[in-house]
Amino acid sequence: MVTHPISAFSGFSGRRARFEHDIADTATARELVVRLLRQAREEGLHDAPGLKQRLLQAGVDLDMPRLADARRFLDSDTPLDAKAVETGLTPDISRLILQVLDGDLAIRNFPVFKNRIANIYAHTEAAAGGAVASYIPELAKQDPNAFGLAVCSIDGQRMAMGQADTPFCLQSVVKPLNYALALALNGERYVHHHVGREPSGQGFNELALNRDNRPHNPMINSGAIMCSAMIRPGHPVDERFEMLMRFWNSAAGGQVCSFDEAVYRSEQATAERNFALTRLMDSHGVFPEGSQPERALDLYFRSCAISLDCRALSVVAATLANGGVCPLTGHRIAEPVAIRNTLSLMLTCGMYDFSGEFAFVVGLPAKSGVSGGLMLVVPGVCGIGLWSPPLDRLGNTVRGLEFSRRLVEAFPFHIFAGTTAGPA
Ligand code: GLN
């Protein structure tokens, strides 16, 4: 049976980020507790296990750091009363539980959502075609059948399918956060004095610059090398790389990133194109004062070898979906405007010279990489991490594209879905 996607599923809350001050603005801690107790009573919930069960049903990750302090209470048999709730739960978690009870999480009906994603995953798995990248010799060793997928909502609801726990190297998927970090450190004016923000319409490693001899945008190789030059120039590359790793780890909500030394060496030994691009930009004198281009290139190579799994990547995507606040920790990684800029460029430039087509059909900010990784952001709802190595001729993961198309057929996620939908 074919069901109309939008009428069949209207289950997403307001589509806006959950910021730190949301709680403070709306209710005092005491008011939250009173509301929580009333709501729980109405639903026949009388103790901590009842609440815990509801969180689980809603897909909330009970192991997320935000819940660490609340776990003692949630794992106990404590009956619900004002004192127990007030001491056992922080206002942040009381609010989260209230949202669960009100059916107001980012993904309202998680079991239905999960089922549909599993269905799309199964159909996508059948998608054939493409070839594993081999121009970086180490990447050619990747298993063409590997396929993993994970989703994390802006409220920390999580699910995973297939090889979601196998780390892979990010390659170009690193570019959005390289850019976001360059923005956080230098501000928009400075960064965009050195790199443009137009799609290039050309391959990701094309030996080409824009009219001002700058890289077209931060989502292609030249632009990412330029962004690397703006991450703490003048400091040792090791230190700069550590900073970038810390940024990735905080976006992923834990110490989950590693460094794939073999991929780094393999790329460094074969990257004539990237050396040429760096020379070309240097010959035009467009690198920032005081940056040493060959060090920027080294930092770029290292960043492409950062490895994590789909589960962690989905959290990074969710942090972007949530305006820069990691849903698992509640920590902000960058100012909202830096995140908005990053999402804008992912939407217009994130899928190489397929970006216009992808924005048209899928309508979501995304970034792909030649290892077969794909980071998809549904602003105000969730982030998705996917990995499947076979690539099409433009360098995008074949299964990733198939999944994305099916996703926006199944859910009203296209950025302009609202213009084609009837009342929800
Ligand atoms: N490290 C790769 C390169 O510079 C990244 C390219 C990609 O993923 N598109 O060629």
Side-chain angles (χ1 to χ4, degrees):
M1 186 183 80
V2 180
T3 48
H4 188 274
I6 290 163
S7 59
F9 199 93
S10 60
F12 303 99
S13 73
R15 287 198 158 206
R16 55 178 289 262
R18 313 248 192 237
F19 285 172
E20 307 90 322
H21 53 256
D22 276 358
I23 332 149
D25 282 352
T26 49
T28 64
R30 171 60 61 89
E31 283 164 351
L32 278 171
V33 170
V34 171
R35 273 178 57 201
L36 194 154
L37 288 172
R38 191 173 50 223
Q39 187 75 20
R41 208 173 313 117
E42 271 172 28
E43 302 201 16
L45 303 171
H46 302 291
D47 51 19
L51 290 187
K52 184 175 169 183
Q53 191 52 29
R54 290 295 301 271
L55 282 165
L56 280 171
Q57 280 165 358
V60 173
D61 177 5
L62 290 184
D63 293 324
M64 64 179 168
R66 255 173 84 195
L67 275 173
D69 289 342
R71 277 305 287 271
R72 193 209 291 262
F73 172 75
L74 289 171
D75 292 340
S76 72
D77 292 328
T78 316
L80 296 184
D81 64 45
K83 191 155 180 289
V85 172
E86 218 169 337
T87 47
L89 301 176
T90 58
D92 170 46
I93 300 307
S94 294
R95 182 184 60 110
L96 180 74
I97 294 176
L98 257 173
Q99 280 170 333
V100 172
L101 299 182
D102 288 345
D104 197 27
L105 290 187
I107 298 168
R108 289 197 171 121
N109 190 337
F110 199 73
V112 170
F113 176 83
K114 202 170 157 181
N115 253 325
R116 291 214 183 164
I117 294 283
N119 238 313
I120 301 174
Y121 177 88
H123 279 104
T124 306
E125 198 165 23
V132 177
S134 58
Y135 77 101
I136 298 174
E138 199 61 26
L139 289 184
K141 298 181 184 164
Q142 294 193 112
D143 173 8
N145 298 316
F147 184 25
L149 170 80
V151 184
C152 176
S153 85
I154 62 164
D155 291 314
Q157 300 161 281
R158 301 180 75 183
M159 67 166 289
M161 303 286 308
Q163 280 163 265
D165 300 313
T166 309
F168 58 94
C169 64
L170 287 168
Q171 295 300 326
S172 280
V173 179
V174 81
K175 286 168 177 155
L177 287 208
N178 277 13
Y179 169 63
L181 182 56
L183 279 179
L185 293 170
N186 303 281
E188 182 184 313
R189 263 176 89 98
Y190 183 85
V191 169
H192 284 294
H193 179 69
H194 294 283
V195 56
R197 44 200 196 213
E198 279 295 336
S200 70
Q202 292 167 325
F204 61 84
N205 57 3
E206 200 65 41
L207 213 53
L209 299 173
N210 70 14
R211 265 181 246 106
D212 305 320
N213 296 317
R214 265 84 170 162
H216 288 89
N217 67 69
M219 301 297 145
I220 52 174
N221 289 13
S222 52
I225 297 167
M226 186 58 81
C227 287
S228 301
M230 291 185 270
I231 297 172
R232 290 269 157 92
H235 288 249
V237 179
D238 281 351
E239 237 174 64
R240 299 163 69 185
F241 183 59
E242 253 167 50
M243 180 180 210
L244 187 61
M245 283 282 259
R246 274 202 304 277
F247 195 56
W248 269 90
N249 277 325
S250 62
Q255 302 298 311
V256 286
C257 298
S258 56
F259 173 59
D260 191 329
E261 173 101 27
V263 168
Y264 165 65
R265 300 259 168 244
S266 176
E267 171 156 23
Q268 210 182 29
T270 54
E272 300 315 331
R273 210 32 113 90
N274 288 325
F275 282 105
L277 273 169
T278 305
R279 280 283 167 81
L280 180 66
M281 292 190 282
D282 200 19
S283 74
H284 288 294
V286 293
F287 275 106
E289 282 270 319
S291 62
Q292 290 151 303
E294 63 295 346
R295 298 210 178 156
L297 183 60
D298 187 24
L299 181 58
Y300 169 72
F301 290 148
R302 292 189 200 200
S303 67
C304 291
I306 294 177
S307 295
L308 42 65
D309 60 24
C310 289
R311 283 173 63 76
L313 187 59
S314 71
V315 180
V316 176
T319 299
L320 296 177
N322 197 32
V325 175
C326 176
L328 303 192
T329 60
H331 295 154
R332 170 170 292 290
I333 64 154
E335 290 308 308
V337 66
I339 302 299
R340 192 188 68 193
N341 290 343
T342 305
L343 292 174
S344 295
L345 292 183
M346 287 170 73
L347 180 70
T348 53
C349 313
M351 301 296 284
Y352 314 129
D353 34 343
F354 193 69
S355 299
E357 186 69 22
F358 193 85
F360 186 89
V361 175
V362 178
L364 289 174
K367 187 74 202 85
S368 58
V370 290
S371 49
L374 177 68
M375 172 160 78
L376 261 177
V377 179
V378 186
V381 179
C382 66
I384 299 173
L386 182 150
W387 176 53
S388 164
L391 310 177
D392 67 9
R393 69 191 167 80
L394 300 179
N396 289 312
T397 160
V398 171
R399 288 201 180 98
L401 294 181
E402 181 64 22
F403 176 84
S404 306
R405 282 190 209 101
R406 288 180 179 269
L407 180 78
V408 294
E409 273 169 25
F411 302 110
F413 282 167
H414 188 293
I415 197 165
F416 301 124
T419 61
T420 55

